[in-house]
Amino acid sequence: MKIFKLILKNFKRHKLRLSLTIVGIAIAVMAFSLLRTVITAWNAGVDIASPNRVVTSHAVSFIMPLPISYRDKIAKIPGIESITYANWFQGVYKDKNQFFPRMAIDAETFFQVYYEYKVDTSLYLEAMKKQRNGCIIGKKIAKEYNLKIGDKMIVDGDIYPGRWEFEVVGYYSGKGDPKVDETWMVFNWSYLDEQLRQSQSGRGGYVGWYVFKVKDPNTIAEISEAIDKEFFNSDAKTKTQTEQAFNQSFVSMSGAILSAIEFVSFVIIGILFLVLANTMIMSARERIREYAVLKTLGFTTSHLVMLITGEAIIISFVGGIFGIAVTFPIVDVLAEAFARIFPIFIVANSTLVIAVSFIIVAGIISSLVPLYRSIKTSIVDGLRHIG
């Protein structure tokens, strides 16, 4: 208790220096947490991938289509529970900067395979099945564009040229799960197929990729091999992999950028160490004589360890917690501003664990030099010291 009181009294000596140190630590922790959140958001598609979901795409590239006839053949492979398919449509809605995923899907099966996307099947899904150009949109998209049931969405096609008119017939949501992407717009694949057969001969009858659920995740390798073997001698060979591996292939395209961001985040932690260490060294140098006096009063080495290390940890902890607390509202603002780029932008638990770990380690390491100096300095030399 006496040591704790001494630590509190030391805080009152240089209030400006203490305040600046805490603010510096808070900014470093906040910057670190934000950069880690960006990395987490980038990898969100990989992290949330379902362990029992598998993707079959063209062996050359996922942008190359597969025949719709593959669906029934894949569905017959033992171990597959349900299968669906999708086509990347994209196009331009309002202007090129208004990016969010737009895909043609099989309305009958899509939400069975993507079970985390909650949709009112009796209302919205049935309406989508009945209306050929009907589309279902995520709650975030509906809120951002103020889209309601019955509103038209005009999309200028790029992959599929033409002026495409869709009508909003429903919404989907993640039911409060922040890890569910609520920025998709999906519509009937049959509508796309019909239009292509009429206007672009040769492009009808194809899908982008197949997604299916397996009954037992332990059989994924066996099932994947069976599917790829089935189409090995066809014009459109397949590549079957887990959803996680499929999503990882997209993230890998930005691997260099992510590595750079990760490197910078740890550089910031290094700055945190330097800021705190500088403050502790300055404080210890000014108190060499006081430490000598404390030794004459019976303070042992363990008392000095608690005094100096405790002060460093408390300063680091206060600054770090302040930085973490500030991070959350900033992340909320950024999540709203960049909802289309990072549909899942949240502070991950792993980020908090790493940040708190660095806060404690920074407090301990920054106290080592002043601690060593105070212990090694004799009482006589300490009393002669002029700080």
Side-chain angles (χ1 to χ4, degrees), residues 86 137 158 165 205 268 307 357:
I137 57 177
D158 42 21
E165 181 177 302
I268 290 172
L307 182 63
S357 299

Side-chain angles (χ1 to χ4, degrees), residues 68 71-72 82-87 103-114 125 128-129 132 136 186-191 207 209-211:
I68 186 64
R71 176 188 54 185
D72 294 338
S82 56
I83 182 170
T84 189
Y85 53 85
N87 242 42
M103 292 187 291
I105 62 156
D106 178 28
E108 289 283 350
T109 57
F110 184 81
F111 290 101
Q112 295 174 14
V113 176
Y114 287 92
L125 198 55
M128 184 179 177
K129 292 176 185 175
R132 308 301 282 175
I136 291 179
V186 295
F187 62 95
N188 284 306
W189 174 85
S190 55
Y191 173 60
V207 303
W209 58 88
Y210 293 96
V211 185

Side-chain angles (χ1 to χ4, degrees), residues 92-93 100 102 133 135-137 141 145 147-148 150-156 163-168 184-186:
V92 178
Y93 178 62
F100 55 88
R102 294 180 277 273
N133 66 337
C135 67
I136 291 179
I137 57 177
I141 290 297
Y145 292 98
L147 289 168
K148 301 179 179 61
D151 286 351
K152 305 292 184 185
M153 291 185 71
I154 309 300
V155 178
D156 292 321
R163 186 175 185 273
W164 299 78
E165 181 177 302
F166 302 99
E167 182 175 327
V168 178
W184 289 13
M185 180 276 238
V186 295

Side-chain angles (χ1 to χ4, degrees), residues 332-359:
D332 289 341
V333 172
L334 294 177
E336 289 286 335
F338 301 104
R340 292 193 299 274
I341 300 174
F342 296 119
I344 303 172
F345 197 76
I346 56 176
V347 181
N349 291 334
S350 59
T351 297
L352 297 179
V353 171
I354 295 173
V356 172
S357 299
F358 276 128
I359 289 168

Side-chain angles (χ1 to χ4, degrees), residues 87-315:
N87 242 42
W88 186 261
F89 180 78
Q90 206 46 39
V92 178
Y93 178 62
K94 293 192 174 180
D95 65 62
K96 290 184 178 180
N97 296 322
Q98 308 297 314
F99 175 84
F100 55 88
R102 294 180 277 273
M103 292 187 291
I105 62 156
D106 178 28
E108 289 283 350
T109 57
F110 184 81
F111 290 101
Q112 295 174 14
V113 176
Y114 287 92
Y115 45 84
E116 67 270 34
Y117 294 178
K118 308 300 180 186
V119 61
D120 188 329
T121 53
S122 62
L123 187 63
Y124 300 151
L125 198 55
E126 288 302 319
M128 184 179 177
K129 292 176 185 175
K130 293 176 182 175
Q131 187 157 341
R132 308 301 282 175
N133 66 337
C135 67
I136 291 179
I137 57 177
K139 285 283 189 181
K140 284 185 180 178
I141 290 297
K143 180 181 178 182
E144 181 172 354
Y145 292 98
N146 194 28
L147 289 168
K148 301 179 179 61
I149 303 295
D151 286 351
K152 305 292 184 185
M153 291 185 71
I154 309 300
V155 178
D156 292 321
D158 42 21
I159 301 174
Y160 301 100
R163 186 175 185 273
W164 299 78
E165 181 177 302
F166 302 99
E167 182 175 327
V168 178
V169 296
Y171 315 108
Y172 77 85
S173 72
K175 291 290 184 183
D177 186 349
K179 293 184 177 180
V180 174
D181 185 355
E182 296 180 339
T183 64
W184 289 13
M185 180 276 238
V186 295
F187 62 95
N188 284 306
W189 174 85
S190 55
Y191 173 60
L192 171 66
D193 189 57
E194 288 170 3
Q195 298 299 314
L196 290 177
R197 289 180 188 276
Q198 294 175 10
S199 60
Q200 301 177 41
S201 178
R203 298 193 71 180
Y206 288 91
V207 303
W209 58 88
Y210 293 96
V211 185
F212 55 88
K213 281 198 308 180
V214 296
K215 296 174 183 175
D216 181 4
N218 294 321
T219 62
I220 287 178
E222 181 183 342
I223 294 173
S224 299
E225 184 179 357
I227 293 172
D228 293 342
K229 187 177 179 181
E230 171 74 22
F231 304 109
F232 184 77
N233 294 317
S234 65
D235 292 335
K237 296 179 182 179
T238 59
K239 181 180 181 180
T240 304
Q241 56 191 329
T242 62
E243 184 184 43
Q244 188 177 46
F246 183 73
N247 294 345
Q248 181 65 54
S249 64
F250 292 96
V251 176
S252 299
M253 297 177 187
S254 308
I257 298 174
L258 292 178
S259 297
I261 294 175
E262 191 161 23
F263 175 75
V264 172
S265 71
F266 286 107
V267 168
I268 290 172
I269 289 299
I271 295 173
L272 184 155
F273 278 103
L274 294 176
V275 169
L276 186 57
N278 181 59
T279 298
M280 292 308 300
I281 290 172
M282 290 176 64
S283 299
R285 186 175 58 191
E286 294 168 356
R287 299 173 194 165
I288 288 295
R289 178 179 287 184
E290 295 174 22
Y291 293 146
V293 173
L294 291 176
K295 288 178 182 178
T296 62
L297 295 175
F299 276 66
T300 63
T301 299
S302 60
H303 288 131
L304 292 179
V305 170
M306 288 189 286
L307 182 63
I308 297 173
T309 306
E311 182 177 345
I313 291 178
I314 291 176
I315 293 174

Side-chain angles (χ1 to χ4, degrees), residues 284 288 291 295 301 304-305 308-309 366-378:
I288 288 295
Y291 293 146
K295 288 178 182 178
T301 299
L304 292 179
V305 170
I308 297 173
T309 306
S366 64
S367 66
L368 292 179
V369 173
L371 188 60
Y372 176 80
R373 189 175 181 184
S374 64
I375 293 173
K376 287 297 180 181
T377 303
S378 66

